[in-house]
Amino acid sequence: MKTPMKRTVFKVILRKSEYKEQWSLLIESFPVFEPGKDKPLRKHEPLGRYITTPIFDKNSSGRTLPDGKAYYRPKRDANGIIMCRSQKDQEACIFADKVRDLRQHEYDNQSLYTDSEAEQAAQIQVNWKRELALMKLYTGGKPLLFGSIDVNLIEDYKDYLVNAPQGGSKTGTISANTASTYFSIFKAGLHQAFIDGYLTIDLAAKVKNIYYEESQREYLTQEELNQLAATPCDSEILKRAALFSALTGLRHSDIKQLKWRDIVKDKEHYQLHFTQQKTKGVEYMPISDQAFSLCGERDDADRLVFEGLQDPSWINRPVKKWVEASGITKHITFHCFRHTYATLQLTNGTDIYTVSKMLGHKKVTTTQIYAKIVDEKKEKAANAIKLDIDLSDLNNKQ
């Protein structure tokens, strides 16, 4: 029986130092479920902040520690922030709670992400740590005081990131898009420092971001899609959901949440009546008979249509295996099936406004990226036929 997935909760906790009368601040997350493990995990993220004046609630029911001393919980204010006697420690606890709120927000919004965005969400913590490591390299390990930060320093750090070294055993410099991501993190920290009163000027607003190169949106051609459809997949539910996405343009998050009551028959055809997980827009979308057949046998109204579909963070491994088995060499993720839908619709002559509406885009400009792909295909098609003659001879004879 599948273990029910409970909501992970993030909390600021204290950990007593073994050698000093000080407590380190950590973010505790529980329950955390990982594939292959039956029991939920309890994880801790050290924040690198220490306090010495926490206020403990002596009236709370504490537990007895191994040394025989009683353990008491720290007092918290109405917002759940740990209370301290010193102003400096209180500010550290407020900072910790803001990090906690960020982690909770990131987790709670993962269900709204596409599969590629979910992978990015899982990398948020890694990116922040890597950005901190690069800042330490830039400063030579010395603290970067708020009073020393100005526009010139920010621009200098921006130039440093463009040529910053890769981490680990990798050689060379980071990509322009990676540098853009790290610089955005740095600017976000500066902006938050301005909001919190550590900076009197919003310096982040005075410096432009590093140019982010538009990434290639991979998709399958009609031939490749049929080739993949004819290839066996280890997960039958994954195969049906992926092909359903290619025929409807639905995101993984919408497919995963789709219930049988959302599929309505209108005369001879079927429609989806649902609320998009990402945009929260209510959609009424017609689907083809083939798309409906991929849903399987109709079940109770409140049952999920694609029950058991993998979460976005874990679905791309089996997708990759399936694609490789088909002989297709493109880097295809689950979200590429949505790209495939958009590209094939435009290629087959569907106008961009209709495609935009079918995809649930609020602005047609969001859909225009697919039109660029189609335009590139037209340009290649225009140059595909070549005559094996010297046209200059014909022009001279005129």
Side-chain angles (χ1 to χ4, degrees):
M1 184 177 179
K2 189 177 179 181
T3 305
M5 297 295 286
K6 297 180 180 178
R7 177 175 180 264
T8 299
V9 176
F10 295 77
K11 181 179 181 181
V12 179
I13 64 168
L14 300 179
R15 179 174 289 170
K16 178 72 167 60
S17 172
E18 296 181 10
Y19 309 104
K20 299 179 181 179
E21 262 316 288
Q22 68 178 20
W23 288 261
S24 58
L25 291 163
L26 303 92
I27 304 294
E28 180 183 81
S29 51
F30 180 83
V32 178
F33 295 91
E34 291 188 352
K37 296 185 179 180
D38 297 330
K39 295 183 178 180
L41 305 177
R42 189 182 299 271
K43 293 193 172 183
H44 296 93
E45 176 191 349
L47 297 177
R49 299 290 183 96
Y50 301 88
I51 59 175
T52 59
T53 64
I55 301 173
F56 292 98
D57 187 0
K58 297 296 180 68
N59 296 321
S60 67
S61 56
R63 65 178 186 272
T64 302
L65 299 175
D67 59 5
K69 294 182 180 180
Y71 167 82
Y72 297 102
R73 296 184 179 88
K75 277 191 174 183
R76 300 176 186 265
D77 63 15
N79 294 317
I81 300 173
I82 294 174
M83 301 171 65
C84 300
R85 289 188 293 275
S86 82
Q87 182 62 30
K88 182 179 178 181
D89 285 353
Q90 193 63 61
E91 289 175 358
C93 289
I94 292 172
F95 164 81
D97 188 70
K98 288 181 177 178
V99 176
R100 175 208 62 77
D101 184 61
L102 176 65
R103 297 289 183 267
Q104 189 72 65
H105 181 74
E106 290 168 355
Y107 170 82
D108 290 342
N109 282 277
Q110 282 190 38
S111 63
L112 306 184
Y113 296 158
T114 64
D115 58 309
S116 57
E117 288 169 336
E119 290 173 352
Q120 293 170 13
Q123 289 296 317
I124 287 176
Q125 186 174 335
V126 174
N127 287 340
W128 277 79
K129 288 182 178 179
R130 177 60 180 149
E131 158 60 12
L132 178 59
L134 287 173
M135 283 186 63
K136 288 181 178 180
L137 286 175
Y138 172 75
T139 63
K142 298 178 181 179
L144 184 60
L145 303 177
F146 286 117
S148 66
I149 301 176
D150 57 18
V151 172
N152 289 334
L153 184 143
I154 298 172
E155 289 286 2
D156 188 59
Y157 182 60
K158 178 180 175 181
D159 292 338
Y160 168 79
L161 282 178
V162 172
N163 299 293
Q166 295 195 55
S169 59
K170 297 180 180 179
T171 58
T173 59
I174 61 178
S175 68
N177 287 358
T178 301
S180 176
T181 298
Y182 292 158
F183 191 60
S184 295
I185 291 172
F186 178 66
K187 286 184 63 177
L190 290 178
H191 181 66
Q192 189 62 49
F194 168 70
I195 293 174
D196 294 342
Y198 293 104
L199 293 173
T200 57
I201 301 173
D202 188 4
L203 294 172
K206 294 180 175 293
V207 181
K208 292 183 179 180
N209 290 327
I210 296 173
Y211 176 72
Y212 193 91
E213 298 176 357
E214 193 174 80
S215 58
Q216 177 68 36
R217 298 200 174 191
E218 197 64 273
Y219 66 95
L220 296 168
T221 64
Q222 183 71 60
E223 294 75 15
E224 289 170 335
L225 184 60
N226 283 319
Q227 182 179 335
L228 189 62
T231 303
C233 179
D234 291 341
S235 172
E236 185 262 346
I237 193 73
L238 165 60
K239 182 175 182 178
R240 290 196 293 110
L243 296 177
F244 184 80
S245 177
L247 292 180
T248 62
L250 258 67
R251 300 180 181 88
H252 175 279
S253 56
D254 292 322
I255 294 174
K256 189 172 176 60
Q257 299 294 327
L258 191 67
K259 294 184 178 180
W260 280 107
R261 57 177 162 80
D262 300 325
I263 303 178
V264 179
K265 190 170 185 179
D266 182 23
K267 297 181 181 178
E268 298 300 320
H269 302 286
Y270 293 94
Q271 287 188 343
L272 302 182
H273 294 189
F274 70 104
T275 301
Q276 285 200 61
Q277 290 292 310
K278 186 174 183 179
T279 65
K280 297 304 180 184
V282 178
E283 299 296 334
Y284 301 91
M285 180 190 296
I287 62 172
S288 67
D289 292 339
Q290 271 196 333
F292 177 74
S293 66
L294 287 168
C295 296
E297 188 176 348
R298 182 177 283 276
D299 209 322
D300 294 337
D302 289 326
R303 290 288 295 271
L304 294 173
V305 176
F306 295 95
E307 199 169 58
L309 183 64
Q310 296 94 325
D311 288 334
S313 297
W314 306 105
I315 200 168
N316 284 326
R317 288 183 182 178
V319 167
K320 180 181 179 181
K321 185 178 179 181
W322 178 33
V323 172
E324 287 178 347
S326 73
I328 297 171
T329 57
K330 293 179 178 178
H331 176 64
I332 300 295
T333 65
F334 192 94
H335 198 60
C336 291
F337 293 104
R338 177 172 165 88
H339 298 330
T340 297
Y341 170 83
T343 306
L344 293 183
Q345 284 286 355
L346 290 169
T347 302
N348 288 320
T350 307
D351 67 88
I352 193 170
Y353 298 99
T354 301
V355 175
S356 181
K357 184 65 178 176
M358 295 290 282
L359 290 172
H361 289 163
K362 290 186 176 181
K363 297 180 180 179
V364 73
T365 52
T366 309
T367 321
Q368 285 175 345
I369 180 63
Y370 301 106
K372 291 180 183 178
I373 297 173
V374 175
D375 288 342
E376 289 176 4
K377 289 183 67 179
K378 288 179 179 178
E379 289 175 7
K380 290 180 180 179
N383 293 289
I385 303 174
K386 295 186 182 295
L387 299 174
D388 192 19
I389 61 173
D390 188 354
L391 296 178
S392 61
D393 293 338
L394 293 176
N395 292 330
N396 293 331
K397 292 178 180 179
Q398 290 182 355

